[in-house]
Amino acid sequence: MTLTQLEYIIAVDTYRSFVAAAEKCFVTQPTLSMQIQKLEESIGARIFDRSRQPIVPTDVGVEIIKQARVVLTESRKINELVQLKKGELEGEFRVGVIPTIAPYLLPKVLGKFMQRFPKLQLQIWEYTTEIIIRELKAGLLDCGILSTPVYDAALVERPMFYEPFVAYVSSESSMIAKKEVTSDDVLGDKLWLLTEGHCMRGQVLNICQRKRNMEPEGTFEYNTGSVETLKRMVDSNAGTTILPELSIEDFDEDQLARVRYFRAPEPVREISLVTTHNFLKKAAIDALEKEIRESVPKRFKSRKKKDVVGFD
């Protein structure tokens, strides 16, 4: 049994194809298949059911692959120890970020982070929560920046801050005359929403209790995948949307005049740095968490008088 063979079976499990796995491992498909077959012969068990497409692990194969991921992760920590002893960190650092936080948070933190680790190859992907969780478990991401809790025992959540939600209203909205708003106020207006698959959509629905009551009549939903589109819809049309507070930092004076905060306890989303239990790149992840914590307003760091909104 070799580490290379373990790498190959993990690749096949991840991509569910011998051809795709070989490409990702930069070897020929016959070479990869031969090494996996040798491993199966040496342990006396079939790891993959080759009769099915896409290829899936056998029952025992699932357990073998799970342990293989642990073994490979632990082996790679040896290189990390050496790098840290030298005072540097090299290699790929793969981070998944939900789209409703990435454009407002990352520009604040990446400059200092990259200066600290100039030899680190930082790779950022904007994914939905579901995809980030799947990629973390498959070992394709080192960490994720998510709205939590996600209630997954396979993951470790490190809460960093609590970002308030605000209502952004048109000049024609009844809420324009209010200093603070409630969920009932939002429920009575036309609402612009993110599409299915975005955790913020579920949070907005929970804030205004639309899952329990889709009235009143005339309530309208325009579904989009972009927070920026939600802003423009309110600017150009009647209605209301709910935005994370970091997204309003570049608002002009007119736009800020149409932002309304919620009465206490104000609804917030918990933003966490998420990893698997057995993760790599500890120094890089700790440094990223530090930069993020230092970049957000001090009042974001406390949960007092705040209501953390879920998205299930």
Side-chain angles (χ1 to χ4, degrees):
M1 184 185 301
T2 67
L3 292 178
T4 298
Q5 289 171 336
L6 299 184
E7 180 182 349
Y8 289 169
I9 65 171
I10 290 172
V12 173
D13 179 58
T14 299
Y15 301 105
R16 298 301 165 101
S17 163
F18 279 84
V19 174
E23 290 177 356
K24 296 295 182 179
C25 293
F26 303 102
V27 296
T28 65
Q29 189 267 325
T31 296
L32 179 136
S33 297
M34 180 184 66
Q35 287 298 322
I36 292 177
Q37 186 175 353
K38 283 185 176 181
L39 176 58
E40 289 176 324
E41 291 172 352
S42 70
I43 62 177
R46 282 284 182 181
I47 298 174
F48 294 103
D49 182 351
R50 293 163 174 79
S51 67
R52 299 175 61 180
Q53 292 295 330
I55 291 169
V56 295
T58 61
D59 290 343
V60 69
V62 170
E63 298 302 317
I64 292 170
I65 292 166
K66 181 179 178 180
Q67 188 60 35
R69 291 186 185 277
V70 173
V71 171
L72 271 187
T73 298
E74 292 299 325
S75 70
R76 289 168 181 162
K77 287 181 180 178
I78 295 173
N79 287 330
E80 282 197 16
L81 289 172
V82 175
Q83 290 176 15
L84 288 174
K85 191 69 176 179
K86 295 178 179 178
E88 60 187 28
L89 199 59
E90 300 177 350
E92 297 179 347
F93 183 42
R94 306 158 299 178
V95 182
V97 191
I98 53 175
T100 57
I101 190 71
Y104 315 112
L105 178 67
L106 293 186
K108 301 172 179 290
V109 304
L110 292 187
K112 291 182 180 179
F113 180 80
M114 293 172 72
Q115 286 178 1
R116 182 171 179 183
F117 298 107
K119 294 184 178 181
L120 204 61
Q121 300 168 26
L122 184 61
Q123 299 179 7
I124 306 289
W125 281 275
E126 286 190 26
Y127 287 146
T128 61
T129 297
E130 181 182 1
I131 294 175
I132 291 176
I133 290 174
R134 186 179 70 224
E135 301 276 284
L136 282 170
K137 291 180 178 179
L140 298 176
L141 291 175
D142 296 304
C143 67
I145 300 173
L146 300 175
S147 184
T148 53
V150 294
Y151 302 107
D152 192 319
L155 302 176
V156 177
E157 300 172 5
R158 300 159 66 162
M160 296 181 290
F161 62 91
Y162 302 90
E163 181 183 17
F165 285 106
V166 299
Y168 183 52
V169 306
S170 73
S171 57
E172 302 172 12
S173 171
S174 60
M175 286 184 280
I176 199 71
K178 298 177 180 287
K179 291 185 178 180
E180 294 181 323
V181 297
T182 67
S183 59
D184 288 339
D185 295 325
V186 175
L187 181 61
D189 210 349
K190 296 179 180 179
L191 185 65
W192 308 92
L193 284 173
L194 291 177
T195 54
E196 294 283 356
H198 291 271
C199 60
M200 203 180 90
R201 174 188 172 93
Q203 289 166 325
V204 170
L205 289 172
N206 283 336
I207 288 171
C208 59
Q209 301 178 340
R210 294 281 299 280
K211 284 185 175 179
R212 290 184 287 278
N213 181 6
M214 292 303 290
E215 299 296 335
E217 277 188 31
T219 297
F220 176 68
E221 294 180 13
Y222 178 93
N223 297 294
T224 175
S226 166
V227 170
E228 296 304 310
T229 300
L230 295 178
K231 296 177 184 178
R232 293 189 181 98
M233 286 298 175
V234 174
D235 288 339
S236 303
N237 303 276
T240 298
T241 193
I242 295 179
L243 303 173
E245 188 175 340
L246 287 178
S247 71
I248 70 171
E249 287 191 348
D250 293 331
F251 272 19
D252 59 31
E253 187 175 335
D254 174 68
Q255 289 173 313
L256 287 174
R258 290 186 282 123
V259 171
R260 295 294 180 271
Y261 284 82
F262 285 87
R263 291 179 188 170
E266 62 181 335
V268 300
R269 62 175 180 175
E270 178 182 81
I271 301 298
S272 299
L273 197 151
V274 180
T275 67
T276 57
H277 287 274
N278 193 37
F279 64 93
L280 294 167
K281 303 292 192 301
K282 183 180 186 303
I285 289 172
D286 289 346
L288 180 60
E289 180 182 10
K290 180 175 181 292
E291 292 295 342
I292 290 173
R293 287 181 180 276
E294 292 178 353
S295 73
V296 298
K298 184 177 180 180
R299 60 190 177 83
F300 281 22
K301 299 172 186 178
S302 171
R303 284 190 62 166
K304 291 182 179 179
K305 297 183 180 180
K306 295 175 181 176
D307 178 24
V308 177
V309 182
F311 51 88
D312 53 343

